[in-house]
Every structure is written in structure tokens, then in C-alpha cells.
Amino acid sequence: MKTRAILSDAGGILFDDHPAKLKEYSFLSQNLDQAPSYREFMDAYHSHKQKAQTNPDYSKNQAFLEYLTSLGLERLREDFLKYSRDYDLKLKEQASELVFPGTRETLRELKNKSIEFIVLTDATRSARQSIEDFYQPAGLSEYFTDIIASSDIGVKKPNPLFFQYALDKHKLKVEESFFVAHDWDEIKGGHDFGLKVVAYRYK
């Protein structure tokens, strides 16, 4: 059956998402004499961040502020909010530079072949905010058919409801679609759902 659509993760596939991922840890490292390791930080922060990825009324900033409170570091609240504003602005200005080589050309070719490209992202921001804050400045959004964010629909990949939502919204069949991912849980989840899966930049 002819391929009609590619469902794809975004960060780590289309662009380098390390700067965005390191934002909170960088702040912590700059403001604590003895900061935890990155792994220790992520283990403790994960539940807060996950809430921001599935609740549209709960932001990533709120998640980190709750994390700071859990450590008794409320004194850093205002410093972090200023740091966050400056960091996000710089990230927006650098968005185009973070796009991996060949990405725009590939997306343009897919669009010319009338293959829909639908981004499925576990995001702490809505799809609309993500477009305004990153994808548009990066010069990517014009090639997307749609961006579906976990914070808008309340579930993260690889929850089957995420894949089903995308297919239903665009009237696609499983056998007409590929899923591109680089995290093992998403690769396995997409495969178990019945999608043809491309493991790209998989480590």
C-alpha cells in the first residue's frame, strides 16, 4: 500500500534538542556549590516534567519550581524565572542553527511527493506555542502537515492513544504510515501498535 504519511518524533530527529533538555540542569549547576549529577537530577525531576507534558494547565517552569521547592530552594525562584526567559529567547534566536543538515531538504522532498509529515512530540508546550517558539524560527513548520503535542492531548508516546489520535485526526490507516523515532520505548511502542517503524539516530 502506498505510503501517505510519516509520523515522526522531532527532537533528536529533526534538530539537536540537547540545549532545551539541559536548561534546568544548567541553572542548577550554576547556582549550587554541589549540584547532583545529570542522571540524579533527571531521576528526581522526571515526575514533575512528565506532568507538564500531559497537563495543558501545568508548565515546565512550574515543574522546575516544584522541584526546587522539594529541595528547599525556593530562594532561587525569581532567579530561575529570569534565567528561563533569557534562555528561551536565546534558544529561539538559535533555532535555525540547531536543525540537522539535510533536514529541510528531506522535508521539502516529502512535501513535493505529497507525503504528509506529522510531528508527534512529548512536549511541555502546546503545539501552537511550539510552532511560535521553535519550529517557525527554525524554518521547519512550513513542511509539517501537523504537530500533535502530548500536552494538548494528555498522553505521551508510546501510549497507543497517541498514535490512534494522529491516525484518526488525519484519516490515515496504520499500513499507510511510517513512524520515525530514536528512543527504544517509542520504537517498540510504534511497532507493537502496528506501524512500520524507522529507527533513526538510534543509539
Side-chain angles (χ1 to χ4, degrees), residues 37-85:
S37 69
Y38 181 71
R39 176 46 53 198
E40 290 170 336
F41 163 68
M42 285 306 298
D43 287 345
Y45 176 54
H46 178 73
S47 61
H48 300 284
K49 181 180 177 182
Q50 190 170 35
K51 183 178 174 182
Q53 290 174 317
T54 55
N55 185 339
D57 299 318
Y58 184 79
S59 70
K60 193 181 181 188
N61 276 357
Q62 287 175 286
F64 188 68
L65 291 174
E66 273 195 7
Y67 167 78
L68 289 178
T69 299
S70 73
L71 297 179
L73 296 173
E74 296 91 338
R75 60 183 171 80
L76 296 177
R77 177 185 178 88
E78 294 306 317
D79 289 343
F80 171 70
L81 291 175
K82 181 182 183 304
Y83 171 89
S84 179
R85 287 192 295 270

Side-chain angles (χ1 to χ4, degrees), residues 26-34 73 75-76 79 83:
S26 296
F27 174 82
L28 210 59
S29 298
Q30 293 171 29
N31 285 276
L32 294 182
D33 292 333
Q34 288 188 311
L73 296 173
R75 60 183 171 80
L76 296 177
D79 289 343
Y83 171 89

Side-chain angles (χ1 to χ4, degrees), residues 183-194:
D183 291 325
W184 170 247
D185 64 330
E186 296 186 12
I187 292 168
K188 183 178 185 303
H191 177 268
D192 290 348
F193 183 78

